[in-house]
Amino acid sequence: GEMSGKELERALKKIISRVTYMTTRFSNFFEALHFSQIKDYTDNLEQKVIDGSRDLANSEAKYRTLVEEINDGYFVNLDDRVVFANRAFCTMHGYEREEMLGMHYWDLIALESMDYTKSFYRRRLAGLSAPTQYAYFRRHKDGTSMPTENKVTVITFEGKVAAAGICRDITERVRMEQQIRASENLARIGQLTTSLAHEIRNPLSSIKMSIKLAVDGLPD
């Protein structure tokens, strides 16, 4: 039969209550699911940050080992300015790091090496052929010139073309090479002296013999 007005009203209220209940349950379920997903994402993100921080710390440790702790000087020359320098590079030139950064690179090259090192640098940045390894004289803060060896390559630094290099003090090597050359010169002088002595001794022996024969033939 048909419901009366009050019965219909009660039925509608029950239906609305059930729908509201179910809607609330579904809403709470999806809210909890969404919250769980957000929590999982946050936990994963936090772990990624932790892992990233650990990786960054490891990278910094490797950087200190590979760049800061080596005995050779490492530098980056951008637009004729020193934009990076490790401890050894600063020490080799007698400067503190704060003094070195931003310094004009050519102030670190001795006058006798200026022309050809500039030529190598310009040609290298222009993509032309230039030695990647060469010897030159660096200029120390106190004004002295010291023999050095450079190994340079072209890199991209902060979006610009730059020259990165490893330089090594070769004072001891040059000194040893000079000693070897001096020893070789002495050996050559010794050989020449021996040869001259031999060439002189033979004629003298003949002269000595002739004089002896002449003296023996003379009357007392």
Side-chain angles (χ1 to χ4, degrees):
E2 295 183 358
M3 293 183 179
S4 63
K6 289 190 177 294
E7 290 176 344
L8 180 60
E9 182 179 352
R10 284 196 296 272
L12 288 174
K13 285 182 178 179
K14 287 183 179 181
I15 292 172
I16 292 171
S17 175
R18 289 292 179 182
V19 170
T20 301
Y21 173 76
M22 293 301 296
T23 302
T24 301
R25 288 291 300 273
F26 276 113
S27 176
N28 291 339
F29 171 75
F30 284 114
E31 183 179 357
L33 180 62
H34 185 60
F35 177 78
S36 176
Q37 290 174 340
I38 291 176
K39 186 177 183 302
D40 290 342
Y41 176 78
T42 303
D43 292 342
N44 289 335
L45 183 61
E46 183 178 358
Q47 186 61 44
K48 287 181 179 179
V49 171
I50 293 172
D51 293 342
S53 299
R54 184 172 58 250
D55 291 342
L56 181 60
N58 291 336
S59 296
E60 290 177 348
K62 290 178 181 177
Y63 157 78
R64 285 192 295 271
T65 301
L66 296 175
V67 178
E68 283 299 330
E69 299 304 322
I70 60 175
N71 293 325
D72 294 335
Y74 183 79
F75 69 94
V76 176
N77 176 7
L78 175 63
D79 295 334
D80 295 340
R81 297 283 177 179
V82 178
V83 294
F84 178 85
N86 71 344
R87 172 188 53 80
F89 186 79
C90 298
T91 301
M92 287 173 63
H93 293 82
Y95 291 92
E96 297 294 331
R97 194 190 302 267
E98 293 76 14
E99 298 177 287
M100 179 66 71
L101 295 181
M103 190 172 179
H104 203 278
Y105 178 73
W106 304 113
D107 288 341
L108 303 174
I109 307 297
L111 186 60
E112 58 263 42
S113 302
M114 188 70 70
D115 289 342
Y116 68 86
T117 53
K118 274 190 176 182
S119 175
F120 293 162
Y121 176 73
R122 304 301 183 202
R123 290 181 61 83
R124 193 177 297 111
L125 292 190
L128 301 174
S129 176
T132 57
Q133 187 166 336
Y134 57 90
Y136 73 105
F137 284 93
R138 73 181 185 273
R139 184 177 184 275
H140 195 271
K141 185 178 182 180
D142 61 12
T144 57
S145 299
M146 308 179 76
T148 313
E149 187 176 69
N150 240 359
K151 187 170 185 179
V152 185
T153 186
V154 175
I155 65 168
T156 300
F157 186 86
E158 296 182 350
K160 294 183 178 181
V161 178
I166 297 176
C167 63
R168 176 176 299 173
D169 182 271
I170 56 173
T171 302
E172 185 62 22
R173 191 178 80 187
V174 170
R175 186 184 65 80
M176 291 181 65
E177 289 173 351
Q178 289 173 344
Q179 287 182 344
I180 292 172
R181 283 196 295 270
S183 298
E184 290 174 348
N185 290 335
L186 288 174
R188 282 194 292 270
I189 292 172
Q191 291 174 354
L192 179 61
T193 302
T194 301
S195 177
L196 287 173
H198 178 73
E199 294 298 328
I200 294 173
R201 185 168 57 247
N202 287 341
L204 287 177
S205 296
S206 300
I207 294 171
K208 180 181 178 181
M209 182 62 68
S210 298
I211 292 174
K212 185 176 185 303
L213 291 173
V215 169
D216 290 344
L218 293 175
D220 296 339

